[in-house]
Amino acid sequence: MTPMHFSFSSAFILGLMGLAFHRTHLLSALLCLEGMMLSLFIALALWALQFESMSFSTAPMLLLAFSACEASTGLALLVATARTHGTDRLQNLNLLQC
């Protein structure tokens, strides 16, 4: 395993562990998701550069577009939750009370 491959996979795993174990606020969960998407984007972009193929060059841009959509949806949910519940703590969110 190359050091570059190790650093990107460890960044993804750290984001996943942060998402799994540090779920107190919605904002921290969104930041962990963004860290995971950033590590995937950089790894996919370097993978496309390594193969030097034009067919792989659109995949990082597509992933970046989906990541931007995910971030905007997450921020909209964060604002809506903060307005209705007064906080972004995930313990206060209950889907049965909707």
Side-chain angles (χ1 to χ4, degrees):
M1 180 182 295
T2 64
M4 185 174 61
H5 184 264
F6 175 73
S7 64
F8 292 129
S9 61
S10 64
F12 182 80
I13 295 296
L14 282 174
L16 187 64
M17 286 177 53
L19 184 63
F21 296 125
H22 189 64
R23 293 183 301 185
T24 56
H25 293 279
L26 184 59
L27 185 62
S28 64
L30 289 174
L31 283 174
C32 289
L33 281 174
E34 286 303 312
M36 290 169 56
M37 291 301 283
L38 181 65
S39 67
L40 280 177
F41 169 72
I42 293 173
L44 195 60
L46 289 177
W47 181 63
L49 283 175
Q50 185 179 15
F51 281 126
E52 296 177 356
S53 176
M54 290 302 292
S55 62
F56 294 128
S57 64
T58 59
M61 296 308 285
L62 186 65
L63 182 72
L64 193 62
F66 283 127
S67 176
C69 292
E70 176 257 334
S72 65
T73 305
L75 285 177
L77 286 173
L78 177 70
V79 168
T81 302
R83 284 184 180 172
T84 57
H85 292 84
T87 184
D88 70 333
R89 293 184 62 85
L90 291 176
Q91 293 175 350
N92 296 342
L93 300 178
N94 190 359
L95 292 177
L96 297 176
Q97 292 179 349
C98 293

